[in-house]
Amino acid sequence: MQIQTKLYGAERNFFVGRAKELEILHKHTTSNSDCQWLHIYGQSGIGKSTLLQQFMAELEVGEVYFLDGSKTIRAKEDIFVQLASQLKSAGEWGLHEQNQEEIVNRIIHRSAQKGGHVVLLLDTFENWHTVEEWLPQWLGQFEDTVRIITAGRHPLTGGWLRSGWASFLHSLPLTSLTPTDVDQYARKRGLASNETKSQLFQFSRGIPLAMTLVAEMMLKGNQYKPLARVEQNQLISVLIEELFDGLDASVRQLLEAASVFWRFNEERLSSLLEEEIDYESFRRLIKMPFIILKEDGWMLHDAVRSWALEDMMLRKPQTYEQMRLKALKQIRFEERINPLQRQNLQLDKMSLHENPLVRNICFTGHLDNVEVRGCQECDLRVIESLYIRYHHFVLPEASEDILMLRLIRPIWEVDPSSFITIWQENELVAFFGKIPLHDKMLKVLETDQVLHPFLKGWKPAPNSYLICFVGLEPELAAKTQSYVISTLINHFSLSEWLLDFTCLKEWFPVLELCGFDPAPWSYGKTQSGTEFRGFILDLTQEDYLSKLDRVLSKNSLDETLNHPKSTEDVNELKILMKEFSKIPGNPRLSETYSRLFPHRITFDLSTDNKGQFIQKDIVDVINILIGGEEMEATLGRILKYAFIQGIRPHELVAKKTNLSLSTYYRYLNKALERLYQVLAQKNL
């Protein structure tokens, strides 16, 4: 079955969202719109055809004549054949298919009969260029009671806007679905688990084609587990082919280069391709519906950018790495020639982080027309509601947990500057807290049990702040995220010491990769069992942007990782891992770990607590490996099964990881070497 057929047919049974767009379509149909021509456009797979099918199914009054551009339109006669067939089905007999005037008159007559509820609906409009000069004049013969709706990948330009049509035309860009829409779709498809619903949105970003394909893959037996890497690769391949369909090679090349940058322009693309770019190809690229114009250049829709990057890293990993480093070099060049732009280029640099975790979580969506304000007393009730709704959205398993909610008002009363609010058109869409750690504030914080470990272990320092509150409007969370991060980083500049205290698990590895150090002594749990972790950012010696530059300066895996000092070190780690379950009760094992990785234990612990901390530290690192690329995930699973779970004999682990026994033993050694490398890395 073809992709679009899936969207045309079965998918309409699971239709979600698009209430605003359907309202515009119905208003247009009933002649309650000032414009006679409505043009809907959006990228491939955004759901244009599905929306039109839903609109026709809901139409109770009037008639729609559907002209399908996916059927070849070579000449005006191809249009008459489709129209004549539908008119005959409606009871118009004695009709000559090639008589243009007669077809127009019959439609006008039926419009009068129906009280002005006749619609000409032209789908897949990018395939109508062969009749571009003739069609606007032909459509101009209809009275304004006959409404015209077109749908295609691109906004209308050129010949479509001639003959005075521009003043009678309204364009409606079709954007991706909201997280709430995707959640509703998942429920309709029977994908009930929070993990699968979360993955459905993270992978599709609300683009219906991607959403459909991911759901189909999950329903084939994966609804209780994340999609395997090979399955994700298959989906990306299909999506990229659909996206690239009909594009010239020169435009494809520019799109690939554009996906490397967060914001791109001609100069940046030229720096990657190391040649002057073709202006006409660039013009065609920026007119595509998934390209967003910003004040300092253009941006790709985050889903398109993510797919294009993933596809390039899958097919040409060395090419991607070379382009990433070239792009980082270009951004730093721009920073050198204009130092005042350093702050504005921070997200551009972070989007070139070598780790996809940082790229994926920090750089999704784009928010316009926003302003940052201090928090007023009248805002407190709104931010309390936003805080709890956002945490219930991202942590549904903690929906009964109040998550320090009671602290918001007392914190504000002590220091109103503790909360920063972000507004869009006078609607609060996000906020975060940056709480000064002075004596009065500490007395407020100690009223919540989850903060007791932090308060007990923290030594007061000047100009210190606690970040433990954040809330994003769930409907806009994907679009708001990068703006919140940018605003937060701007506020880092006035600090010397920060503790980020969060229960959002996906942020745990990201914070470390962005220069924060874990603070295990501050970890806490609510009475309901929700785990909070603390991460320290020490800015007493350098500002955050300088620290971030050092993180971004790792140019290759060999430079990033500390290699084992000797084979003996890896062998010692292997011996320790064989005794993993005995670490808490064996001081010798704890001493071995402390000697191999002294930077990972920088505080005093009792013997039992030290052993438990070491066990947890190792498990956390292994889980990071499991969540990584395919090879790292395999190595992580081997470590988990062989040492953490202690499965024996080794033949069972080999079978569980789908490896031959000889390959398994080779991978087992690689897994131990990789574990050593990550544990020895001081910035991870």
Side-chain angles (χ1 to χ4, degrees), residues 41 150 155 229 240 261 385 467 490 493 551 557 620 659 675:
Y41 67 94
T150 53
R229 173 62 58 180
I240 288 297
F261 288 102
S385 171
I467 300 170
N490 288 338
S493 60
V551 174
L557 189 64
D620 287 347
L659 299 171
L675 179 62

Side-chain angles (χ1 to χ4, degrees), residues 128-138 158-160 162-163:
W128 292 65
H129 285 295
T130 53
V131 293
E132 182 174 355
E133 296 299 324
W134 166 81
L135 187 63
Q137 284 113 16
W138 180 69
W160 303 124
R162 295 178 193 140
S163 307

Side-chain angles (χ1 to χ4, degrees), residues 67 71-83 98 130:
L67 298 171
K71 298 175 180 178
T72 305
I73 304 289
R74 295 192 181 92
K76 58 186 179 181
E77 287 74 21
D78 295 322
I79 299 171
F80 298 152
V81 169
Q82 289 193 43
L83 274 177
Q98 304 304 321
T130 53

Side-chain angles (χ1 to χ4, degrees), residues 583-600:
I583 292 175
N586 190 330
R588 179 181 58 80
L589 295 173
S590 294
E591 288 169 8
T592 298
Y593 189 86
S594 300
R595 178 171 49 78
L596 288 172
F597 314 111
H599 59 284
R600 301 192 74 88

